[in-house]
């Protein structure tokens, strides 16, 4: 990266001061772009087939992860520099009943949530991570990245990974298959999902779909779209008893990848967050204390929140030791 580009990027990320010291370009809190694209993942429709994981690797030219002395083919246990998307399994007690907590199990898909107001974008000092003004997709530019890994610390969902084993390391995360979308396609994980558990589409339409699903009568049969909300293809399934909450709809200002489930989201290890984004919290602190410090404060706000949350989770974990969330769905 040229020195000029570096300075330009850094300036773009920092608040600009006028001659009298007033902040004129403090980071504004982002809203959902009008043509935002995203994914609705419905845990109750997921059968844990892992087709989305294979398709993701294929579409993004990611290497397989070998396990147990290189004898097990591609069995990632979590997101990594080689895995942008993983299906994990919650299991409790005997783990035999799907989508219930008691002696039950359920699946969850982990990937970048493409936050409406992403901390990673704000924390990056050189604008290597950017949010598209139209689609809202959060993309990474390897040529701008200086490897500081602020984005890793700032992400409240622990998504960006770093290529520690590469001499020219990059940050790695899902970019919603923007290269396929640019050619008129959709995210690879959604196009192969056989049940429609991973559903691609404009976020506004996906939000409407979540409202429709929340009004369904449990046990009654309904059409569920497959691949994309606009595909015209669907399957008929019995409606489950959904948790009355769509994860990602409001958490930290909202995300463009949203989750529905019949099992409480905390069972999957998904963090409980307030509605306000870290960027917005940090902006509040910034104006109260010292204008111009929003970026370190985004990281700090996230860290303080996570430490507090982890402490609570640790205490709660002592009483809920029997429940597990694992990366391998085919045990
Ligand atoms: S989930 Fe993390 S990496 Fe993805 S956009 Fe949000 S802050 Fe950035
Ligand atoms: S949108 Fe693309 S990169 Fe992201 S999880 Fe799906 S297949 Fe992988
Ligand atoms: S392809 Fe669909 S059903 Fe299969 S694991 Fe992925 S989300 Fe679940």
């Amino acid at each position: 990266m040229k020195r000029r580009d570096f300075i330009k990027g850094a300036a773009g990320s920092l608040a600009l001061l006028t001659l009298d010291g007033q902040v004129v370009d403090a980071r504004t809190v982002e809203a959902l772009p009008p043509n935002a694209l995203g994914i609705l993942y419905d845990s109750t429709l997921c059968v844990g087939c892992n087709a989305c994981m294979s398709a993701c690797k294929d579409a993004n030219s990611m290497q397989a992860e070998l396990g147990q002395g290189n004898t097990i083919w591609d069995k990632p246990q979590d997101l990594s520099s080689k895995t942008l998307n993983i299906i994990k399994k919650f299991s409790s007690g005997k783990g035999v009943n799907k989508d219930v907590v008691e002696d039950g199990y359920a699946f969850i898909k982990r990937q970048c949530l493409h936050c409406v107001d992403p901390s990673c974008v704000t924390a990056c000092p050189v604008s290597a991570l950017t949010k598209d003004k139209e689609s809202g997709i959060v993309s990474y530019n390897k040529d701008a990245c200086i490897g500081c890994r602020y984005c890793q610390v700032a992400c409240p969902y622990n998504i960006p990974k770093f290529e520690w084993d590469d001499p020219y390391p990059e940050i790695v995360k899902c970019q919603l298959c923007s290269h396929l979308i640019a050619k008129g396609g959709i995210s690879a994980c959604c196009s192969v999902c056989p049940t429609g558990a991973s559903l691609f589409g404009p976020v506004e339409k996906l939000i409407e779909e979540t409202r429709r699903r929340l009004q369904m009568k449990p046990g009654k049969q309904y059409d569920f779209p497959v691949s994309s909300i606009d595909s015209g293809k669907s399957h008929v399934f019995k409606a489950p008893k959904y948790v009355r909450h769509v994860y990602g709809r409001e958490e930290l200002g909202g995300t463009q990848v949203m989750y529905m489930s019949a099992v409480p989201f905390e069972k999957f290890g998904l963090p409980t967050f307030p509605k306000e984004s870290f960027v917005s919290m940090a902006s509040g602190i910034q104006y109260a204390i010292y204008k111009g410090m929003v970026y370190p404060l985004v990281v700090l706000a996230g860290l303080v929140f996570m430490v507090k949350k982890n402490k609570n989770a640790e205490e709660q974990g002592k009483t809920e030791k029997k429940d597990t969330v694992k990366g391998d769905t085919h045990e």
Side-chain angles (χ1 to χ4, degrees):
M1 185 185 197
K2 288 186 200 142
R3 192 175 58 159
R4 202 166 155 196
D5 292 337
F6 175 86
I7 293 167
K8 214 167 127 196
S13 291
L14 291 168
L16 300 176
L17 298 177
T18 61
L19 288 176
D20 63 355
Q22 293 299 304
V23 176
V24 294
D25 187 25
R27 164 76 160 74
T28 49
V29 175
E30 297 288 346
L32 188 69
N35 300 318
L37 295 171
I39 292 175
L40 172 61
Y41 171 78
D42 187 330
S43 168
T44 69
L45 299 180
C46 182
V47 291
C49 66
N50 290 0
C52 54
M53 289 174 61
S54 302
C56 178
K57 291 231 163 171
D58 200 29
N60 294 283
S61 308
M62 307 296 287
Q63 285 174 28
E65 290 194 63
L66 304 176
Q68 292 181 10
N70 289 354
T71 56
I72 304 287
W73 179 251
D74 205 19
K75 283 287 177 188
Q77 294 298 299
D78 214 331
L79 295 179
S80 73
S81 60
K82 296 181 180 66
T83 298
L84 308 174
N85 161 37
I86 189 164
I87 298 293
K88 295 180 131 190
K89 184 176 140 193
F90 155 78
S91 183
S92 169
K94 291 182 189 153
V96 289
N97 305 312
K98 188 164 188 300
D99 298 319
V100 292
V101 173
E102 205 64 34
D103 286 335
Y105 68 96
F107 299 112
I108 192 73
K109 184 178 196 275
R110 297 308 314 276
Q111 63 172 96
C112 173
L113 298 179
H114 297 272
C115 301
V116 171
D117 198 8
S119 301
C120 60
V121 170
T122 305
C124 179
V126 291
S127 301
L129 283 154
T130 49
K131 185 168 176 71
D132 187 80
K133 294 261 176 282
E134 279 292 309
S135 67
I137 295 173
V138 177
S139 301
Y140 169 71
N141 175 2
K142 67 177 169 42
D143 296 327
C145 180
I146 53 171
C148 67
R149 297 184 290 113
Y150 279 10
C151 55
Q152 279 196 292
V153 181
C155 174
Y157 301 102
N158 192 20
I159 299 297
K161 302 298 171 203
F162 190 64
E163 293 179 317
W164 290 103
D165 55 354
D166 193 302
Y168 301 101
E170 295 173 18
I171 288 290
V172 180
K173 73 165 202 76
C174 152
Q175 304 191 62
L176 213 72
C177 289
S178 49
H179 61 301
L180 300 181
I181 294 170
K183 290 184 210 155
I186 65 169
S187 302
C189 54
C190 298
S191 65
V192 298
C193 180
T195 62
S198 289
L199 186 69
F200 179 84
V203 174
E204 290 297 351
K205 286 192 182 177
L206 294 178
I207 290 171
E208 257 175 53
E209 177 66 9
T210 65
R211 290 196 190 109
R212 185 181 78 97
R213 291 186 192 189
L214 286 176
Q215 283 170 2
M216 290 174 175
K217 235 174 158 186
K220 213 177 147 205
Q221 292 199 319
Y222 295 90
D223 275 336
F224 289 80
V226 183
S227 303
S228 158
I229 191 94
D230 294 322
S231 69
K233 291 180 284 178
S234 63
H235 289 316
V236 176
F237 292 118
K238 277 187 189 166
K241 195 174 177 191
Y242 287 112
V243 167
R244 312 298 300 167
H245 175 67
V246 177
Y247 192 91
R249 195 57 193 88
E250 292 187 319
E251 279 75 9
L252 295 175
T255 58
Q256 293 181 209
V257 173
M258 295 169 288
Y259 294 141
M260 295 188 80
S261 166
V263 165
F265 295 105
E266 60 270 21
K267 295 291 178 192
F268 298 117
L270 290 171
T272 305
F273 285 130
K275 290 183 185 175
E276 201 181 5
S277 72
F278 285 157
V279 177
S280 162
M281 287 182 214
S283 295
I285 301 168
Q286 173 208 15
Y287 286 110
I289 304 175
Y290 183 70
K291 291 172 181 177
M293 282 195 65
V294 68
Y295 304 101
L297 281 169
V298 167
V299 176
L300 182 65
L303 279 174
V304 169
F305 190 90
M306 294 307 280
V307 166
K308 207 171 155 219
K309 184 185 71 64
N310 286 343
K311 197 162 170 280
N312 290 343
E314 204 177 283
E315 278 160 15
Q316 197 190 352
K318 283 175 193 161
T319 56
E320 288 185 8
K321 269 199 173 147
K322 56 186 190 327
D323 297 347
T324 57
V325 179
K326 286 188 186 167
D328 187 354
T329 60
H330 296 156
E331 293 159 89

